[in-house]
Amino acid sequence: MDNKKICGKCNTENDINSKFCIKCGNSLNTTVTPKPIKKNNSLSIAGFICSLVGLLTCGITSLIGLILSIIGISSSKKNGEKDPFALAGIIISVIPLVILIFLLVIGILTSKDVKVADFSTMSKEEAVKWCDNNDADCYFYEEYSDTVEEGGFIRQSKSAGSKMSSYESIDIYYSKVKKDQTTPENSPAPTTPTETPKTQNSNEKFSLVEDHISSESNNFSAYIEGKITNNSDKELSYIQVTYSIYDAEGNTIGTCLDNENNIDAHGTWKFNAICTSGVQNIARYELKGITGW
């Protein structure tokens, strides 16, 4: 290297006695130090990789990539160098972050706050209609009560008058027949499972087409099969059917339940309500409710 002159323009080695570069013709009168080879900034590369992964994973690592790329490009500027990896990392990481922020703003602007009704003043049918009209996710449950009559309102998970966002749900509880309730003394107890007349199992919104104890029932579980028709002109996002089962003395021994999503307008749902308790002593079953919205 001591016997060579380095061209300050193209870094070509020339003879020590040369006055001009043999490659580019640049004057070699002034001795210059070769330009150092630039090394890639490790933070910039890491930021670029995280940004690229974030672009492919809906922004999971985009924020990390953005931070590392900013640190990398700041470090390169202090050394007077350009850093393409850091610049690319910043651009790529910003794309999914902007999209996520945009979706969040849209979600906030389009969310609908609903004032929760006092369901204690409504019948169960009115509560279902309120949930349907307000596009609220309502879930209806039945439980035993010693103080509330069968079918009466017990409680709701959100207090009346409070605000409920469109992404929240509310649970509403109604009373079902008490465990000690028996059939009238003059009513003979059936020896095989019987059903309630169909005329009692339909309303304006739903119709129970048929139901029966499934042949697949055994000593461990029982099933009530049937069909329910959606009488409305609107698709149902959720529907639930609930039955109570009784022994020969008229005592409630269990509940059977099935639910489904997305029932077409005027469509028919073939349900299969499972009963998991008291199945060996079923003498009668009765539809307790059909709910949906």
Side-chain angles (χ1 to χ4, degrees), residues 2-19:
D2 293 339
N3 297 323
K4 299 289 183 179
K5 284 184 178 180
I6 306 300
C7 177
K9 184 175 182 181
C10 65
N11 282 343
T12 300
E13 293 182 357
N14 296 269
D15 186 84
I16 189 65
N17 296 318
S18 299
K19 295 183 179 181

Side-chain angles (χ1 to χ4, degrees), residues 136-202:
D137 288 333
C138 302
Y139 295 91
F140 296 84
Y141 300 93
E142 293 182 340
E143 61 182 27
Y144 295 113
S145 174
D146 294 328
T147 58
V148 180
E149 295 181 357
E150 180 183 357
F153 172 85
I154 297 178
R155 68 180 186 278
Q156 59 191 73
S157 60
K158 293 185 178 297
S159 58
S162 62
K163 294 290 184 179
M164 183 177 75
S165 301
S166 56
Y167 55 84
E168 295 180 298
S169 62
I170 183 170
D171 300 331
I172 307 171
Y173 294 82
Y174 290 89
S175 174
K176 62 182 177 180
V177 63
K178 297 178 182 178
K179 292 183 178 180
D180 59 352
Q181 181 176 337
T182 58
T183 55
E185 295 181 359
N186 296 331
S187 300
T191 58
T192 57
T194 58
E195 59 178 332
T196 304
K198 298 292 188 301
T199 54
Q200 298 181 16
N201 297 337
S202 64

Side-chain angles (χ1 to χ4, degrees), residues 86-107:
L87 182 60
I90 292 174
I91 295 173
I92 295 174
S93 63
V94 165
I95 294 174
L97 291 176
V98 170
I99 294 175
L100 289 174
I101 293 173
F102 174 77
L103 293 177
L104 179 62
V105 171
I106 292 298

Side-chain angles (χ1 to χ4, degrees), residues 124 140 142 201 206-208 210-211 224-228 238-244 255-260 269-274 286-292:
K124 191 172 183 179
F140 296 84
E142 293 182 340
N201 297 337
F206 310 105
S207 292
L208 177 63
E210 61 172 298
D211 62 0
I224 300 178
E225 296 179 339
K227 295 180 180 179
I228 293 174
Y238 179 84
I239 187 171
Q240 175 177 297
V241 61
T242 307
Y243 282 86
S244 289
T255 300
C256 313
L257 178 70
D258 193 14
N259 53 62
E260 187 58 84
W269 169 43
K270 185 177 180 181
F271 64 85
N272 192 23
I274 183 172
E286 180 179 347
L287 176 68
K288 302 308 294 182
I290 305 171
T291 56

